[in-house]
Amino acid sequence: MPRAKKPAPASQALIDYEQVLDTGVCVPAIRAEVNAWLASGDYPGVTETTRTLLHHWFQTDHRLRGGRTFAYHRSQRLAVETLVYLYEVAGISSQQQMFEKYAQAGQHPRLAADDPYPRFAVKMATGSGKTKVMALAIAWQYFNAVCESAARSRPRSW
């Protein structure tokens, strides 16, 4: 019978099992807030750039070659809308803030000591379009960085 291989010490150091976070404890509260926000209509609390992008992506008819229509899947739309809500409306920019606001009492995992950058992830089934969602998230961040900073630097007209 062949012996089972032990992982090399160097490869074991790459995996810190204590840093694995269960973000599922936040999902029910986030879903409830996002659903209420969506029900209030026309994406309140977002930048004009974001509103324009969301309208274009999700409320505009898109035609493919041959005349067929294209629409994003419901899960893709909800993933993008949730990212937008968390960052722009709820003002969540770290895992700690997310857990403080959305996790139920007693369900706060141990977080990394240093969390300097906003990091968001979407948990979606295989084949459900995660790559498309990430492309939309990148476009959303890019156009907000360009258009909103340009809008802030323009002098106001009276």
Side-chain angles (χ1 to χ4, degrees), residues 12-25 95 98-99 107-113 119 123:
Q12 233 174 3
L14 294 175
I15 303 171
D16 183 1
Y17 290 102
E18 296 197 26
Q19 290 299 324
V20 176
L21 303 176
D22 179 13
T23 56
V25 299
Q95 291 175 337
M98 184 178 72
F99 282 108
Q107 293 184 320
H108 294 262
R110 196 181 86 169
L111 297 170
R119 288 179 283 158
K123 193 171 190 176

Side-chain angles (χ1 to χ4, degrees), residues 15-150:
I15 303 171
D16 183 1
Y17 290 102
E18 296 197 26
Q19 290 299 324
V20 176
L21 303 176
D22 179 13
T23 56
V25 299
C26 298
V27 171
I30 292 172
R31 280 189 180 154
E33 275 194 18
V34 169
N35 288 338
W37 174 66
L38 292 172
S40 65
D42 207 30
Y43 306 112
V46 300
T47 65
E48 283 306 311
T49 301
T50 297
R51 184 174 288 110
T52 300
L53 288 170
L54 293 174
H55 283 187
H56 175 72
W57 292 333
F58 305 131
Q59 297 173 5
T60 303
D61 288 335
H62 301 283
R63 296 269 176 213
L64 299 173
R65 281 191 213 156
R68 288 186 320 142
T69 59
F70 166 80
Y72 291 96
H73 295 285
R74 184 180 180 281
S75 62
Q76 292 171 321
R77 178 178 180 164
L78 188 56
V80 171
E81 290 170 335
T82 301
L83 289 172
V84 167
Y85 175 81
L86 286 172
Y87 191 74
E88 283 194 27
V89 179
I92 302 296
S93 61
S94 71
Q95 291 175 337
Q96 181 177 349
Q97 289 175 332
M98 184 178 72
F99 282 108
E100 287 172 356
K101 184 168 184 175
Y102 297 110
Q104 296 173 356
Q107 293 184 320
H108 294 262
R110 196 181 86 169
L111 297 170
D114 188 26
D115 190 14
Y117 303 107
R119 288 179 283 158
F120 296 99
V122 292
K123 193 171 190 176
M124 298 170 64
T126 301
S128 63
K130 291 180 292 290
T131 304
K132 178 65 85 172
V133 168
M134 294 314 298
L136 296 177
I138 291 166
W140 161 58
Q141 288 292 292
Y142 172 79
F143 282 110
N144 266 282
V146 171
C147 297
E148 294 303 314
S149 66

